[in-house]
Amino acid sequence: MIDPVLDLIQKRNLSYNISGRDYLIKCLNPEHPDSNPSLRIDKVTGSFHCFACHFKGNIFKYFGVFTNQTPIKVAKLKEKMAVIKSSGTGLDLPKGAQPYTKSFRGISSKTLRGFEAFYTNSEEKLVDRLCFPIKDITGKTVVYVARHVLSDGNPRYVNYPSGVVMPLFPASAPRSVKSVVLVEGIFDMLNLHDKGLNNAICCFGTNTLHKDTKQKLLPFRAQGVTHIFIMFDGDEAGKKAAETLKPLIEEDGFVVEIISLPDGTDPGELGEEDVRSIAEYVRK
Ligand SMILES: [Zn+2]
């Protein structure tokens, strides 16, 4: 097993203790006489931090060791994968779930099937609802979004279970796509996919903190997405949210463009022709 951090500690004859995810050694700061070891070194990355004097750094840099960072990155990734593996595939289907085979409010049954929609009428909170499994970046189902089948059903949406941090949906982009179109609602996203725009993703409203959305978009960058088109609802809240989010995402190196919709229009209402022209525009 490759362990460059421990290798270096041993080569330098530093005495160490293991403390959770860290190695604990006496502080490396010459100005800090450290009788109790108070410097923590991350086992994987070699980053260190003294909790007494706040001396910070990385032991590879500190000792002038030029390492190939790849094994460290791979080790880190493997560690993450192990956590993911041990956490399984996510939620079980609610009881009484059955496949939804019809179209719904202009969204074809094919598109709904593609997003694994199902109908449930049995659990108390899920009476007469069309549900979608929402998966995180690892493919694990973390929550179901359940929309009342009746347009005046109250509440219109239920997150089941409640209180889960919502991923973007879908949480990753189709292969080799260079841009994504970010919309507010799940039915905005579904409508765009249904009409041929397969790189639309939704952020479940603009009430979630923008810095969360920023964070959730980063993996798209790693997948090769360079452009983000923000297409929020054509109302004051949507416009304001788009303006706030744009500079935040730009900090991560994305090219960001806002697509403004006419007042009172949201992407869930766009017809085939409108979606086609948007698709042509974002693929230019
Ligand atoms: Zn110190």
Side-chain angles (χ1 to χ4, degrees), residues 4-9 12 14 23 25 28 39-42 45-48 57-65:
V5 175
L6 186 58
D7 267 8
L8 184 57
I9 290 173
R12 296 283 157 170
L14 302 167
Y23 296 115
I25 66 167
L28 296 168
L39 187 100
R40 288 185 168 272
I41 307 174
D42 185 289
T45 63
S47 306
F48 64 71
N58 183 287
I59 57 157
F60 296 108
K61 272 197 192 141
Y62 183 86
F63 289 114
V65 179

mmCIF file of all heavy atoms in Angstrom, residues 4-9 12 14 23 25 28 39-42 45-48 57-65:
data_model
loop_
_atom_site.group_PDB
_atom_site.id
_atom_site.type_symbol
_atom_site.label_atom_id
_atom_site.label_comp_id
_atom_site.label_asym_id
_atom_site.label_seq_id
_atom_site.Cartn_x
_atom_site.Cartn_y
_atom_site.Cartn_z
ATOM 1 N N PRO A 4 2.769 7.643 1.084
ATOM 2 C CA PRO A 4 3.889 8.587 1.006
ATOM 3 C C PRO A 4 4.041 9.448 2.259
ATOM 4 O O PRO A 4 5.149 9.839 2.610
ATOM 5 C CB PRO A 4 3.572 9.456 -0.208
ATOM 6 C CG PRO A 4 2.287 9.011 -0.761
ATOM 7 C CD PRO A 4 1.741 7.894 0.067
ATOM 8 N N VAL A 5 2.926 9.730 2.930
ATOM 9 C CA VAL A 5 2.996 10.589 4.115
ATOM 10 C C VAL A 5 3.753 9.871 5.238
ATOM 11 O O VAL A 5 4.710 10.407 5.815
ATOM 12 C CB VAL A 5 1.577 11.013 4.579
ATOM 13 C CG1 VAL A 5 1.645 11.799 5.875
ATOM 14 C CG2 VAL A 5 0.885 11.843 3.492
ATOM 15 N N LEU A 6 3.347 8.622 5.497
ATOM 16 C CA LEU A 6 4.008 7.853 6.549
ATOM 17 C C LEU A 6 5.480 7.593 6.199
ATOM 18 O O LEU A 6 6.358 7.681 7.059
ATOM 19 C CB LEU A 6 3.270 6.527 6.787
ATOM 20 C CG LEU A 6 3.758 5.693 7.961
ATOM 21 C CD1 LEU A 6 3.675 6.478 9.262
ATOM 22 C CD2 LEU A 6 2.965 4.395 8.074
ATOM 23 N N ASP A 7 5.738 7.300 4.939
ATOM 24 C CA ASP A 7 7.114 7.111 4.456
ATOM 25 C C ASP A 7 8.010 8.271 4.870
ATOM 26 O O ASP A 7 9.096 8.087 5.407
ATOM 27 C CB ASP A 7 7.123 7.076 2.914
ATOM 28 C CG ASP A 7 7.028 5.651 2.397
ATOM 29 O OD1 ASP A 7 6.806 4.743 3.231
ATOM 30 O OD2 ASP A 7 7.160 5.476 1.174
ATOM 31 N N LEU A 8 7.495 9.465 4.589
ATOM 32 C CA LEU A 8 8.276 10.668 4.854
ATOM 33 C C LEU A 8 8.486 10.866 6.357
ATOM 34 O O LEU A 8 9.591 11.187 6.802
ATOM 35 C CB LEU A 8 7.578 11.885 4.228
ATOM 36 C CG LEU A 8 8.316 13.220 4.324
ATOM 37 C CD1 LEU A 8 9.707 13.132 3.707
ATOM 38 C CD2 LEU A 8 7.524 14.317 3.626
ATOM 39 N N ILE A 9 7.435 10.652 7.142
ATOM 40 C CA ILE A 9 7.539 10.801 8.601
ATOM 41 C C ILE A 9 8.615 9.858 9.139
ATOM 42 O O ILE A 9 9.441 10.239 9.973
ATOM 43 C CB ILE A 9 6.173 10.516 9.275
ATOM 44 C CG1 ILE A 9 5.186 11.650 8.956
ATOM 45 C CG2 ILE A 9 6.320 10.361 10.788
ATOM 46 C CD1 ILE A 9 3.764 11.394 9.430
ATOM 47 N N ARG A 12 12.203 10.841 8.194
ATOM 48 C CA ARG A 12 12.689 11.976 8.981
ATOM 49 C C ARG A 12 12.808 11.641 10.470
ATOM 50 O O ARG A 12 13.031 12.541 11.283
ATOM 51 C CB ARG A 12 11.738 13.171 8.813
ATOM 52 C CG ARG A 12 11.701 13.691 7.399
ATOM 53 C CD ARG A 12 12.925 14.523 7.084
ATOM 54 N NE ARG A 12 13.158 14.554 5.645
ATOM 55 C CZ ARG A 12 14.034 15.355 5.056
ATOM 56 N NH1 ARG A 12 14.745 16.205 5.775
ATOM 57 N NH2 ARG A 12 14.208 15.310 3.768
ATOM 58 N N LEU A 14 10.657 11.116 12.708
ATOM 59 C CA LEU A 14 9.742 11.852 13.584
ATOM 60 C C LEU A 14 8.899 10.828 14.336
ATOM 61 O O LEU A 14 8.441 9.861 13.750
ATOM 62 C CB LEU A 14 8.817 12.747 12.752
ATOM 63 C CG LEU A 14 9.509 13.764 11.851
ATOM 64 C CD1 LEU A 14 8.531 14.368 10.851
ATOM 65 C CD2 LEU A 14 10.148 14.873 12.698
ATOM 66 N N TYR A 23 -1.918 11.871 11.337
ATOM 67 C CA TYR A 23 -0.763 11.554 12.168
ATOM 68 C C TYR A 23 -0.530 12.763 13.058
ATOM 69 O O TYR A 23 -0.689 13.909 12.622
ATOM 70 C CB TYR A 23 0.479 11.303 11.316
ATOM 71 C CG TYR A 23 0.342 10.089 10.426
ATOM 72 C CD1 TYR A 23 0.326 10.234 9.043
ATOM 73 C CD2 TYR A 23 0.243 8.815 10.970
ATOM 74 C CE1 TYR A 23 0.193 9.127 8.217
ATOM 75 C CE2 TYR A 23 0.105 7.709 10.157
ATOM 76 C CZ TYR A 23 0.086 7.857 8.772
ATOM 77 O OH TYR A 23 -0.048 6.773 7.978
ATOM 78 N N ILE A 25 2.180 14.695 15.396
ATOM 79 C CA ILE A 25 3.605 14.816 15.739
ATOM 80 C C ILE A 25 3.845 16.125 16.492
ATOM 81 O O ILE A 25 2.947 16.958 16.608
ATOM 82 C CB ILE A 25 4.514 14.776 14.474
ATOM 83 C CG1 ILE A 25 4.278 16.014 13.602
ATOM 84 C CG2 ILE A 25 4.302 13.498 13.677
ATOM 85 C CD1 ILE A 25 5.329 16.206 12.526
ATOM 86 N N LEU A 28 6.285 21.464 13.929
ATOM 87 C CA LEU A 28 7.463 21.694 13.091
ATOM 88 C C LEU A 28 7.893 23.157 13.100
ATOM 89 O O LEU A 28 8.912 23.518 12.533
ATOM 90 C CB LEU A 28 7.163 21.255 11.653
ATOM 91 C CG LEU A 28 6.883 19.753 11.453
ATOM 92 C CD1 LEU A 28 6.328 19.504 10.056
ATOM 93 C CD2 LEU A 28 8.150 18.931 11.672
ATOM 94 N N LEU A 39 0.634 18.879 16.320
ATOM 95 C CA LEU A 39 0.559 19.124 14.881
ATOM 96 C C LEU A 39 -0.093 17.918 14.201
ATOM 97 O O LEU A 39 0.394 16.800 14.301
ATOM 98 C CB LEU A 39 1.961 19.336 14.302
ATOM 99 C CG LEU A 39 1.994 19.765 12.842
ATOM 100 C CD1 LEU A 39 2.209 21.268 12.732
ATOM 101 C CD2 LEU A 39 3.063 19.024 12.085
ATOM 102 N N ARG A 40 -1.197 18.185 13.541
ATOM 103 C CA ARG A 40 -1.916 17.108 12.843
ATOM 104 C C ARG A 40 -1.537 17.095 11.369
ATOM 105 O O ARG A 40 -1.558 18.131 10.717
ATOM 106 C CB ARG A 40 -3.428 17.323 12.949
ATOM 107 C CG ARG A 40 -3.960 17.063 14.326
ATOM 108 C CD ARG A 40 -5.480 17.179 14.368
ATOM 109 N NE ARG A 40 -5.937 16.635 15.630
ATOM 110 C CZ ARG A 40 -6.220 15.340 15.833
ATOM 111 N NH1 ARG A 40 -6.132 14.477 14.825
ATOM 112 N NH2 ARG A 40 -6.605 14.912 17.013
ATOM 113 N N ILE A 41 -1.221 15.896 10.869
ATOM 114 C CA ILE A 41 -0.904 15.753 9.446
ATOM 115 C C ILE A 41 -1.949 14.849 8.813
ATOM 116 O O ILE A 41 -2.153 13.721 9.275
ATOM 117 C CB ILE A 41 0.483 15.107 9.247
ATOM 118 C CG1 ILE A 41 1.539 15.871 10.047
ATOM 119 C CG2 ILE A 41 0.848 15.047 7.774
ATOM 120 C CD1 ILE A 41 2.904 15.199 10.025
ATOM 121 N N ASP A 42 -2.606 15.318 7.785
ATOM 122 C CA ASP A 42 -3.574 14.488 7.076
ATOM 123 C C ASP A 42 -2.848 13.284 6.470
ATOM 124 O O ASP A 42 -1.858 13.437 5.761
ATOM 125 C CB ASP A 42 -4.247 15.312 5.979
ATOM 126 C CG ASP A 42 -5.365 14.538 5.281
ATOM 127 O OD1 ASP A 42 -5.063 13.592 4.522
ATOM 128 O OD2 ASP A 42 -6.525 14.890 5.502
ATOM 129 N N THR A 45 -3.078 13.501 2.344
ATOM 130 C CA THR A 45 -2.552 14.628 1.561
ATOM 131 C C THR A 45 -1.246 15.189 2.106
ATOM 132 O O THR A 45 -0.519 15.865 1.390
ATOM 133 C CB THR A 45 -3.565 15.792 1.542
ATOM 134 O OG1 THR A 45 -3.734 16.252 2.893
ATOM 135 C CG2 THR A 45 -4.896 15.350 0.985
ATOM 136 N N GLY A 46 -0.961 14.941 3.388
ATOM 137 C CA GLY A 46 0.237 15.515 3.992
ATOM 138 C C GLY A 46 0.065 16.952 4.453
ATOM 139 O O GLY A 46 1.016 17.572 4.924
ATOM 140 N N SER A 47 -1.148 17.491 4.336
ATOM 141 C CA SER A 47 -1.374 18.846 4.857
ATOM 142 C C SER A 47 -1.288 18.804 6.372
ATOM 143 O O SER A 47 -1.779 17.872 6.981
ATOM 144 C CB SER A 47 -2.762 19.362 4.509
ATOM 145 O OG SER A 47 -2.965 19.273 3.150
ATOM 146 N N PHE A 48 -0.655 19.820 6.955
ATOM 147 C CA PHE A 48 -0.588 19.819 8.407
ATOM 148 C C PHE A 48 -1.074 21.129 9.000
ATOM 149 O O PHE A 48 -1.146 22.156 8.316
ATOM 150 C CB PHE A 48 0.818 19.464 8.917
ATOM 151 C CG PHE A 48 1.896 20.456 8.545
ATOM 152 C CD1 PHE A 48 1.959 21.715 9.131
ATOM 153 C CD2 PHE A 48 2.883 20.097 7.620
ATOM 154 C CE1 PHE A 48 2.977 22.608 8.803
ATOM 155 C CE2 PHE A 48 3.889 20.993 7.280
ATOM 156 C CZ PHE A 48 3.938 22.252 7.877
ATOM 157 N N GLY A 57 0.864 23.972 6.744
ATOM 158 C CA GLY A 57 1.624 23.706 5.537
ATOM 159 C C GLY A 57 1.388 22.304 5.041
ATOM 160 O O GLY A 57 0.378 21.684 5.374
ATOM 161 N N ASN A 58 2.334 21.848 4.262
ATOM 162 C CA ASN A 58 2.262 20.495 3.743
ATOM 163 C C ASN A 58 3.636 19.869 3.948
ATOM 164 O O ASN A 58 4.654 20.500 3.626
ATOM 165 C CB ASN A 58 1.890 20.537 2.257
ATOM 166 C CG ASN A 58 1.736 19.139 1.700
ATOM 167 O OD1 ASN A 58 2.716 18.424 1.506
ATOM 168 N ND2 ASN A 58 0.500 18.747 1.460
ATOM 169 N N ILE A 59 3.676 18.675 4.492
ATOM 170 C CA ILE A 59 4.995 18.137 4.857
ATOM 171 C C ILE A 59 5.896 17.875 3.650
ATOM 172 O O ILE A 59 7.106 17.919 3.770
ATOM 173 C CB ILE A 59 4.941 16.864 5.748
ATOM 174 C CG1 ILE A 59 4.157 15.764 5.090
ATOM 175 C CG2 ILE A 59 4.454 17.158 7.140
ATOM 176 C CD1 ILE A 59 4.584 14.415 5.672
ATOM 177 N N PHE A 60 5.318 17.614 2.510
ATOM 178 C CA PHE A 60 6.169 17.402 1.330
ATOM 179 C C PHE A 60 6.895 18.695 0.978
ATOM 180 O O PHE A 60 8.087 18.713 0.705
ATOM 181 C CB PHE A 60 5.326 16.909 0.141
ATOM 182 C CG PHE A 60 4.699 15.569 0.404
ATOM 183 C CD1 PHE A 60 3.347 15.444 0.632
ATOM 184 C CD2 PHE A 60 5.489 14.421 0.452
ATOM 185 C CE1 PHE A 60 2.766 14.219 0.889
ATOM 186 C CE2 PHE A 60 4.926 13.190 0.711
ATOM 187 C CZ PHE A 60 3.560 13.081 0.935
ATOM 188 N N LYS A 61 6.152 19.785 0.994
ATOM 189 C CA LYS A 61 6.756 21.082 0.718
ATOM 190 C C LYS A 61 7.728 21.452 1.825
ATOM 191 O O LYS A 61 8.827 21.932 1.573
ATOM 192 C CB LYS A 61 5.663 22.162 0.619
ATOM 193 C CG LYS A 61 5.118 22.289 -0.763
ATOM 194 C CD LYS A 61 4.363 23.600 -0.928
ATOM 195 C CE LYS A 61 3.563 23.565 -2.233
ATOM 196 N NZ LYS A 61 2.254 24.178 -2.083
ATOM 197 N N TYR A 62 7.310 21.199 3.061
ATOM 198 C CA TYR A 62 8.119 21.577 4.216
ATOM 199 C C TYR A 62 9.498 20.938 4.147
ATOM 200 O O TYR A 62 10.512 21.566 4.408
ATOM 201 C CB TYR A 62 7.407 21.173 5.510
ATOM 202 C CG TYR A 62 8.142 21.579 6.761
ATOM 203 C CD1 TYR A 62 7.966 22.846 7.311
ATOM 204 C CD2 TYR A 62 9.028 20.697 7.387
ATOM 205 C CE1 TYR A 62 8.643 23.230 8.444
ATOM 206 C CE2 TYR A 62 9.711 21.077 8.524
ATOM 207 C CZ TYR A 62 9.519 22.346 9.054
ATOM 208 O OH TYR A 62 10.201 22.709 10.173
ATOM 209 N N PHE A 63 9.543 19.665 3.779
ATOM 210 C CA PHE A 63 10.827 18.966 3.715
ATOM 211 C C PHE A 63 11.447 19.032 2.317
ATOM 212 O O PHE A 63 12.414 18.340 2.031
ATOM 213 C CB PHE A 63 10.666 17.511 4.155
ATOM 214 C CG PHE A 63 10.422 17.385 5.638
ATOM 215 C CD1 PHE A 63 9.224 16.913 6.130
ATOM 216 C CD2 PHE A 63 11.416 17.762 6.554
ATOM 217 C CE1 PHE A 63 9.001 16.806 7.500
ATOM 218 C CE2 PHE A 63 11.202 17.657 7.925
ATOM 219 C CZ PHE A 63 9.993 17.186 8.405
ATOM 220 N N GLY A 64 10.861 19.841 1.462
ATOM 221 C CA GLY A 64 11.409 20.009 0.125
ATOM 222 C C GLY A 64 11.389 18.736 -0.696
ATOM 223 O O GLY A 64 12.252 18.506 -1.536
ATOM 224 N N VAL A 65 10.396 17.903 -0.442
ATOM 225 C CA VAL A 65 10.296 16.669 -1.217
ATOM 226 C C VAL A 65 9.349 16.917 -2.390
ATOM 227 O O VAL A 65 8.216 17.352 -2.202
ATOM 228 C CB VAL A 65 9.722 15.520 -0.345
ATOM 229 C CG1 VAL A 65 9.591 14.251 -1.165
ATOM 230 C CG2 VAL A 65 10.600 15.314 0.869
#
